Amino acid sequence: MPLFFLIPLCTALITAYLFKKGTDEIAYLAAMFTAISLILTLVLAPWQIQLGLLIIVFLITNKLLQKNESKQ
């Protein structure tokens, strides 16, 4: 399994750290770069990881929908 998707993920984590520490306009640029890097990571990730994330999203969404229906 190629691990090329870890490069933008590490870059995103570093820029997220810079965003957290920065207060200037560079922080907004770092946040934008973080979002782009995370999207690139998801595109480059192997299908097994993408499938696992998709299942997690479906489970969380299903729980949130049931929680909202019980409140009504």
Side-chain angles (χ1 to χ4, degrees):
M1 176 185 329
L3 299 176
F4 293 120
F5 73 97
L6 291 178
I7 295 170
L9 180 63
C10 292
T11 306
L13 292 175
I14 291 169
T15 54
Y17 174 76
L18 291 175
F19 173 70
K20 187 84 169 161
K21 293 292 180 181
T23 57
D24 297 1
E25 291 188 16
I26 193 74
Y28 296 114
L29 183 62
M32 212 170 25
F33 191 72
T34 301
I36 292 169
S37 294
L38 288 175
I39 292 169
L40 184 62
T41 299
L42 288 175
V43 170
L44 294 176
W47 68 269
Q48 296 94 341
I49 294 175
Q50 290 178 352
L51 181 64
L53 288 172
L54 185 64
I55 290 171
I56 290 170
V57 167
F58 279 142
L59 291 175
I60 291 172
T61 305
N62 193 16
K63 284 184 181 181
L64 289 174
L65 286 174
Q66 288 176 356
K67 191 175 184 180
N68 285 340
E69 286 177 2
S70 67
K71 286 184 179 181
Q72 292 177 357

